[in-house]
């Protein structure tokens, strides 16, 4: 390895570079210890200023954190209140729309006629003419309710139920589940109490 030119001086250079680096670190460390000596005036002043600056930075950080958290909390509360207001307005609008659609159905002459027919002929045997009249009334009422149901995509069927549980659906191909106990639910009983 000694016969190769440049190998030996490179090792010496590397070794001398390491020792030079260590010396530089020692010199810097001695200067820091000398500057930060708490028993000298210079060291006391440096440590005092460092402590003062650290306290100021800590206080500014705490105050900044406090105000930032208050702002974030205020923003999230305002956003939540606004979002709830929009949801509330949307629900109110939906309910108002459903009420107006129900009013359109209930005030229709064909729907009123079929309900009146059911009330007049409850528990009575129908003649052939009365059965044909009921079919016509049911078809007219169902056609009107189907038109109303088709005005909104979220409505699949509209039902009108008499107080004697006679049902007319807007979709004439569907039927009410025979096991359904809708006559004991609030939405059915409350209108009956008026």
């Amino acid at each position: 390895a000694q016969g190769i030119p440049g190998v030996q001086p490179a090792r010496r250079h590397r070794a001398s570079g390491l020792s030079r680096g260590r010396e530089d670190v020692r010199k810097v460390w001695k200067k820091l210890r000398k500057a930060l000596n708490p028993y000298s005036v210079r060291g006391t002043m440096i440590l005092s200023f460092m402590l003062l600056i650290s306290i100021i930075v800590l206080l500014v950080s705490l105050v900044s954190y406090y105000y930032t958290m208050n702002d974030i909390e205020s923003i999230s509360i305002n956003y939540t209140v606004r979002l709830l207001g929009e949801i509330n307005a949307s629900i109110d609008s939906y309910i108002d729309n459903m009420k107006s659609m129900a009013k359109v159905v209930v005030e229709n002459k064909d729907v009123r006629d079929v309900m009146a027919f059911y009330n007049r002929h409850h528990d009575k045997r129908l003649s052939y003419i009365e059965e044909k009249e009921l079919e016509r009334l049911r078809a007219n009422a169902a056609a009107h309710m189907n038109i109303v149901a088709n005005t909104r995509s979220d409505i699949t069927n509209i039902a009108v139920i008499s107080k004697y549980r006679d049902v007319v659906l807007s979709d004439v191909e569907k039927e009410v589940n025979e096991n359904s106990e809708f006559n004991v639910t609030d939405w059915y009983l409350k209108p009956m109490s008026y």
Side-chain angles (χ1 to χ4, degrees):
Q2 290 181 355
I4 301 173
V7 171
Q8 192 64 22
R11 286 185 182 169
R12 283 187 195 147
H13 179 67
R14 192 179 304 148
S16 65
L18 286 175
S19 62
R20 210 178 308 143
R22 287 182 187 157
E23 272 183 44
D24 290 342
V25 170
R26 285 186 191 139
K27 285 180 186 177
V28 170
W29 183 249
K30 282 181 184 179
K31 286 181 182 179
L32 274 175
R33 281 181 45 194
K34 185 178 178 182
L36 297 177
N37 184 359
Y39 301 112
S40 71
V41 174
R42 181 178 179 188
T44 305
M45 287 177 62
I46 289 174
L47 288 175
S48 298
F49 278 118
M50 284 177 56
L51 182 64
L52 182 65
I53 290 170
S54 298
I55 290 172
I56 290 172
V57 167
L58 179 66
L59 288 174
V60 167
S61 297
L62 288 175
V63 169
S64 174
Y65 175 78
Y66 173 76
Y67 282 114
T68 301
M69 291 309 293
N70 280 347
D71 285 346
I72 289 172
E73 185 178 344
S74 173
I75 288 169
S76 66
I77 287 172
N78 288 338
Y79 176 75
T80 303
V81 167
R82 190 177 72 219
L83 184 65
L84 288 175
E86 289 175 7
I87 291 171
N88 191 28
S90 177
I91 290 171
D92 287 345
S93 172
Y94 182 82
I95 290 172
D96 288 344
N97 193 10
M98 290 297 117
K99 284 180 180 178
S100 68
M101 291 181 79
K103 186 176 180 181
V104 167
V105 169
V106 171
E107 291 180 353
N108 178 266
K109 182 184 181 323
D110 294 323
V111 172
R112 286 189 320 206
D113 287 348
V114 76
M115 288 298 119
F117 184 92
Y118 279 128
N119 288 338
R120 280 193 316 268
H121 295 89
H122 174 68
D123 280 345
K124 293 182 183 173
R125 187 164 174 86
L126 298 179
S127 67
Y128 177 78
I129 295 172
E130 289 171 333
E131 285 181 10
K132 290 297 179 185
E133 176 68 11
L134 178 60
E135 276 182 35
R136 185 187 65 77
L137 291 172
R138 284 180 62 91
N140 290 346
H144 172 71
M145 292 187 311
N146 196 30
I147 291 170
V148 174
N150 288 333
T151 61
R152 290 188 56 119
S153 62
D154 57 337
I155 296 175
T156 58
N157 208 347
I158 297 176
V160 177
I161 305 171
S162 75
K163 62 182 172 183
Y164 302 111
R165 295 185 63 188
D166 300 303
V167 180
V168 179
L169 297 174
S170 61
D171 187 349
V172 294
E173 295 178 11
K174 295 184 180 173
E175 293 179 2
V176 176
N177 184 347
E178 292 179 12
N179 298 322
S180 170
E181 295 181 356
F182 62 84
N183 59 321
V184 295
T185 59
D186 283 348
W187 63 264
Y188 181 80
L189 293 175
K190 281 185 181 178
M192 295 292 130
S193 64
Y194 293 110

